[in-house]
Amino acid sequence: MGGDGHGHEAHGGDFRQKVWTMSGGPNCRPVHWKRNTAIAMFGIFLVCIPVAMLSAKLEQRPHMPVRPIPSQLWCKNFGNQEYENRK
């Protein structure tokens, strides 16, 4: 009935190979997934490290913060001030 040649097999063919699912279906592990993940992580670190260094270099605060801020540990724009003696 006109359905010839559309990839449907009338004799019990396995349709699961042609169905796309978010979980990956029957082939949920790509061939080089470990290598691709390592390349992606390297690229992320390659971009994020210079951005973080530039951010620490440009960070300025017009007023001393009330509580310690983690970026004060590596930022050069802060002086060494004891928070216990501020009261």
Side-chain angles (χ1 to χ4, degrees):
M1 247 180 86
D4 195 24
H6 292 291
H8 300 289
E9 297 170 353
H11 300 291
D14 190 14
F15 67 91
R16 289 178 289 171
Q17 296 294 327
K18 296 176 180 69
V19 176
W20 182 88
T21 62
M22 288 181 65
S23 63
N27 300 319
C28 62
R29 293 267 175 162
V31 178
H32 300 291
W33 71 270
K34 290 181 184 179
R35 182 199 63 182
N36 295 342
T37 303
I39 291 171
M41 293 301 289
F42 179 73
I44 289 170
F45 283 119
L46 194 65
V47 169
C48 289
I49 288 174
V51 168
M53 291 173 64
L54 181 65
S55 174
K57 178 181 168 187
L58 298 177
E59 182 175 354
Q60 294 180 359
R61 297 190 183 272
H63 305 288
M64 284 302 289
V66 178
R67 300 181 280 286
I69 297 175
S71 66
Q72 288 178 291
L73 298 174
W74 58 80
C75 184
K76 303 281 191 271
N77 296 333
F78 285 109
N80 293 333
Q81 182 173 0
E82 297 295 327
Y83 283 91
E84 290 80 23
N85 298 333
R86 285 198 77 211
K87 294 184 178 187

